[in-house]
Amino acid sequence: MNRQALNDLLALGEGFTTEFKKAGTSGLGREICAFANATGGVILIGVTDAGEVVGVADHNKLKSDVQATARSAEPPIAVEVESEGEVLCVTVPAQHSKPYSFGGKFYLREGASSQQMSRQEIREFFYREGLIHFDETPCERFSLEEDLTDAAWDTFRRRARIPADMPPLTALRNLHLLTDDGRMTHAGAWLLARDIQKFSISADVACALFMGSDKVHILDRRGFHGDVYSMIDEVMAWLLSKLNVAYIIQHVKREERPELPEEALREAVVNALVHRDYRSTANVHVYVFKDRVEVVSPGGLPAGMSEADLGTKSIPRNPLLFGMLHRMEAVEHIGSGIRRIRRLCAEYGVAEPEIEVSPHWFVLRFPRPSIAEEAGQERLGPDAAKVTPEVTPEVTPEVTPEVRLCGVLDGEMSRQALQEKLSLKDAEYFRKAYLVPALEKGLIEMTLPDKPRSSKQRYRLTERGRRYLEEHAPEQNDKDA
């Protein structure tokens, strides 16, 4: 530190990153610890609280004492000590092994002073720094006797691919969803919930459709509060029902093409639920405006991540929940979410979503194509003989993935043919979001049920599927006209 830098610090006075100390090392450990737990700072020894330079003697001995004090913290803190005239300057760089304690106590910088943290402040600090993960903590409201029902377990077991003969408690322990003392974790509660708000009051998803580009006139509002896995499907069904759909006439048949890529929207919804801060009193919001779709998640970025890391780095705020949803094939792995969303939008021919990050919110904003653009044959390809955009999303019935699959199934079709018919590029997403749910509900059936992996396997509508299609999507009847 040169003289000019010292003078600048003296002129600014004490603050969040600067502390004046008249002499000695009394109380120095507290100050060093507080700076280490914050963003770092500088301690000027030989300066009064008023900013008057009085200087200190025997700099060499004092330097040794300062280093010894810093090393006695837990863990030891690296500091830089140098002399500038009569003043000893102690620089505490930003540290990477938080939290630090001194004398068995934790300190944090607050304004121009260093304060000892209370138990609650220590707990909050650990959460904020990603040292404790809320999803791994016990959920006191979950009762194994009352909430771990046969129906909830059977649904979860199938989704998580758990052997049918494995006892529930054994499986839950092995998956780390039960704590060592037998209590359900929050991640387990969220995945087994009939109503997630029973365990985390703001863990639901609020969806709203607005008339224009602001929040003045609400056309539709829905809330979803089942388990996390179910909420993903329910939110997507609602969202797709509110977007415009282009009917592309090719070779007599009409094909549906949502104005925004379904897979990208699903990835955004999944990310919002997986990476949100479940301690927040706010919930996830999905907004549909005239000109955009917004997916809003409380919590900002996890500790250790910056906006520049998006698409290349993943630090899950809820690693246990993330791992389970990956096992259940609801999420991709290794930080691919944002990168995948951008790629899907580029392939679909629509603008990439805008990202807005703040300390308390994370927003993905998808610009909606205009009606004129949606009807443009050049963007949809030369084979599009006719495109009819649907422009009244507020009265459109909800079209679930199962309805869409049943609607395009004509006679007996292969998996690849169905996927192409739905314009879905991701085979795994098609399987888990469309094919498996339709099979589980008995809406479609295999032509070779004893050989599910056969290359000759085909799928066809069941009688139940035909009735389901008539009840849920009567407009499908005239699609072939």
Side-chain angles (χ1 to χ4, degrees):
M1 178 179 297
N2 57 34
R3 188 66 194 184
Q4 184 58 52
L6 174 61
N7 289 337
D8 291 341
L9 289 175
L10 292 171
L12 289 171
E14 289 186 303
F16 182 66
T17 58
T18 308
E19 177 73 18
F20 296 163
K21 189 170 181 57
K22 187 175 181 179
T25 58
S26 175
L28 184 64
R30 169 194 185 107
E31 307 299 343
I32 292 176
C33 177
F35 279 128
N37 282 329
T39 58
V42 178
I43 303 168
L44 301 179
I45 305 177
V47 180
T48 67
D49 291 343
E52 179 187 357
V53 175
V54 294
V56 290
D58 200 351
H59 280 213
N60 288 336
K61 181 179 185 306
L62 191 52
K63 286 180 182 179
S64 178
D65 292 344
V66 169
Q67 292 287 4
T69 299
R71 285 195 297 270
S72 64
E74 179 56 42
I77 300 170
V79 299
E80 301 167 4
V81 188
E82 56 185 325
S83 299
E84 180 53 50
E86 299 174 297
V87 177
L88 192 69
C89 305
V90 181
T91 301
V92 184
Q95 305 289 314
H96 304 290
S97 299
K98 301 174 185 177
Y100 294 88
S101 65
F102 187 82
K105 298 177 181 179
F106 294 86
Y107 299 92
L108 192 63
R109 194 71 178 171
E110 291 185 359
S113 63
S114 300
Q115 303 292 332
Q116 182 180 339
M117 286 190 270
S118 66
R119 182 178 182 277
Q120 181 57 36
E121 287 171 331
I122 294 172
R123 183 179 177 87
E124 178 62 28
F125 182 87
F126 274 57
Y127 279 127
R128 189 169 64 247
E129 294 297 322
L131 302 169
I132 296 178
H133 299 107
F134 185 65
D135 64 330
E136 298 173 355
T137 60
C139 179
E140 304 298 346
R141 297 181 181 180
F142 192 97
S143 167
L144 292 177
E145 292 75 22
E146 297 177 8
D147 298 311
L148 187 58
T149 64
D150 291 341
W153 172 251
D154 185 58
T155 300
F156 172 78
R157 181 192 61 76
R158 285 187 288 102
R159 290 171 174 171
R161 296 175 288 115
I162 297 170
D165 59 349
M166 181 176 289
L169 295 184
T170 300
L172 291 169
R173 283 195 184 93
N174 289 337
L175 293 171
H176 300 284
L177 295 176
L178 282 183
T179 63
D180 292 340
D181 57 1
R183 290 180 292 173
M184 186 66 73
T185 62
H186 277 95
W190 300 332
L191 292 168
L192 288 158
R194 285 172 291 182
D195 182 349
I196 199 168
Q197 290 181 307
K198 177 180 178 181
F199 310 118
S200 299
I201 190 64
S202 58
D204 60 319
V205 182
C207 300
L209 171 70
F210 298 97
M211 179 179 290
S213 58
D214 54 36
K215 297 180 181 178
V216 176
H217 299 293
I218 299 178
L219 297 174
D220 186 33
R221 177 184 289 164
R222 288 287 301 276
F224 301 96
H225 47 85
D227 62 87
V228 171
Y229 189 98
S230 296
M231 283 195 295
I232 294 170
D233 288 338
E234 291 165 353
V235 170
M236 280 304 301
W238 180 89
L239 178 55
L240 289 172
S241 75
K242 306 306 176 188
L243 297 180
N244 296 323
V245 176
Y247 295 119
I248 306 170
I249 300 177
Q250 291 181 317
H251 311 298
V252 184
K253 296 285 186 178
R254 274 200 303 186
E255 297 182 5
E256 295 180 2
R257 188 182 194 276
E259 61 180 286
L260 293 171
E262 179 179 345
E263 295 168 79
L265 292 171
R266 182 181 178 87
E267 194 77 35
V269 171
V270 169
N271 281 354
L273 284 165
V274 170
H275 298 303
R276 63 151 295 175
D277 183 354
Y278 279 92
R279 296 178 304 119
S280 171
T281 56
N283 52 8
V284 170
H285 299 283
V286 177
Y287 297 135
V288 179
F289 296 94
K290 179 181 179 180
D291 59 346
R292 67 193 187 279
V293 172
E294 292 184 358
V295 181
V296 185
S297 177
L301 293 175
M305 271 198 76
S306 67
E307 196 166 347
D309 295 324
L310 293 172
T312 60
K313 180 179 179 181
S314 177
I315 303 179
R317 179 178 274 111
N318 305 294
L320 184 55
L321 177 64
F322 182 92
M324 283 306 306
L325 286 174
H326 180 256
R327 178 186 178 88
M328 299 162 88
E329 300 181 332
V331 300
E332 295 290 323
H333 216 8
I334 317 299
S336 63
I338 297 298
R339 182 174 67 251
R340 186 163 177 263
I341 288 172
R342 289 168 172 162
R343 174 177 58 79
L344 289 167
C345 287
E347 291 176 352
Y348 209 71
V350 297
E352 289 184 2
E354 303 166 7
I355 298 175
E356 181 182 333
V357 178
S358 74
H360 304 293
W361 296 99
F362 183 89
V363 182
L364 266 176
R365 189 175 292 113
F366 293 83
R368 296 181 67 180
S370 66
I371 296 300
E373 180 183 320
E374 185 65 27
Q377 291 189 18
E378 288 185 9
R379 189 170 68 82
L380 295 177
D383 295 332
K386 182 180 179 182
V387 180
T388 305
E390 184 177 297
V391 297
T392 54
E394 64 271 20
V395 296
T396 306
E398 292 194 8
V399 182
T400 64
E402 299 95 295
V403 170
R404 294 189 63 204
L405 177 61
C406 292
V408 302
L409 186 50
D410 185 14
E412 296 180 354
M413 297 176 65
S414 68
R415 168 176 166 165
Q416 183 177 2
L418 283 168
Q419 186 178 328
E420 291 175 354
K421 198 80 170 177
L422 290 164
S423 301
L424 296 174
K425 296 182 180 297
D426 191 320
E428 189 58 26
Y429 171 61
F430 165 72
R431 185 186 72 80
K432 66 191 180 188
Y434 287 78
L435 195 60
V436 172
L439 285 167
E440 290 182 344
K441 291 182 178 180
L443 306 179
I444 65 173
E445 62 184 5
M446 299 180 185
T447 57
L448 299 172
D450 297 330
K451 300 178 180 179
R453 298 184 180 275
S454 172
S455 60
K456 297 180 180 180
Q457 186 65 261
R458 299 293 184 270
Y459 300 90
R460 61 193 172 207
L461 273 178
T462 63
E463 186 57 38
R464 182 177 181 180
R466 293 187 183 91
R467 292 196 305 269
Y468 185 87
L469 191 59
E470 291 172 359
E471 294 170 2
H472 291 77
E475 75 279 9
Q476 296 277 351
N477 295 336
D478 57 351
K479 279 190 177 181
D480 296 336

